[in-house]
């Protein structure tokens, strides 16, 4: 079981922001911005590249849910960044697909 599955099932406590049948969202333990939330599918998909053809609906749901959560956090007007780190060069440290919602400050480009 992944770290994020343990968070989703309550074995590890989390600061929940949102949940539905497909996904669970909670605040990052090491926030990189005033708002830093992770949106995680309940299904243990290791990364976005590992998502199958039958998971396209789920990927869309995660993206639209992330936008809804960002809006619920008051970020719609100021803007925000959605990030999906993938693999070693992508900086992924937890092998359970997740979208980072980052907001509340201007984001630099290019990213580090
Ligand atoms: P990644 O580096 O894989 O894209 O993102 C993993 C994220 O999970 C990191 O931003 C890290 O701070 C966060 N994280 C790791 N362990 C925990 C935890 O136990 N609780 C919470 N809330 N976030 C965690």
């Amino acid at each position: 079981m992944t770290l994020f599955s343990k968070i989703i099932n309550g074995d590890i406590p989390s600061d929940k922001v949102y949940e539905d049948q497909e996904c669970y969202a909670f605040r990052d333990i090491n926030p990189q911005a005033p708002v830093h939330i992770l949106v995680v599918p309940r299904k243990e998909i290791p990364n976005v590249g590992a998502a199958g053809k039958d998971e396209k609906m789920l990927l869309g749901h995660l993206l639209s849910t992330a936008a809804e959560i960002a809006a619920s956090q008051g970020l719609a007007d100021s803007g925000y960044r959605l990030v999906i780190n993938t693999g070693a060069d992508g900086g992924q440290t937890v092998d359970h697909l997740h979208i980072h919602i980052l907001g509340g400050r201007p984001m630099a480009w290019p990213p580090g």
Side-chain angles (χ1 to χ4, degrees):
M1 184 183 293
T2 70
L3 173 70
F4 287 166
S5 287
K6 291 176 185 167
I7 286 176
I8 291 168
N9 72 22
D11 288 347
I12 296 173
S14 66
D15 186 357
K16 182 179 80 173
V17 176
Y18 172 87
E19 69 176 321
D20 63 27
Q21 286 192 331
E22 302 293 337
C23 65
Y24 185 93
F26 55 100
R27 295 190 191 279
D28 197 292
I29 201 168
N30 183 23
Q32 301 301 310
V35 177
H36 188 170
I37 294 166
L38 304 174
V39 184
V40 183
R42 294 183 185 277
K43 188 168 184 179
E44 286 188 344
I45 301 167
N47 59 59
V48 69
K53 284 183 178 171
D54 56 342
E55 282 149 357
K56 286 186 178 181
M57 288 282 287
L58 174 58
L59 294 180
H61 178 72
L62 295 173
L63 194 56
S64 61
T65 299
E68 288 170 10
I69 293 170
S72 78
Q73 297 293 309
L75 300 175
D77 290 340
S78 55
Y80 54 89
R81 184 169 291 175
L82 303 181
V83 173
I84 305 176
N85 295 327
T86 306
D89 277 2
Q92 184 175 9
T93 59
V94 178
D95 290 333
H96 186 155
L97 174 62
H98 50 284
I99 300 176
H100 295 257
I101 304 171
L102 294 154
R105 66 167 173 82
M107 298 291 151
W109 194 264

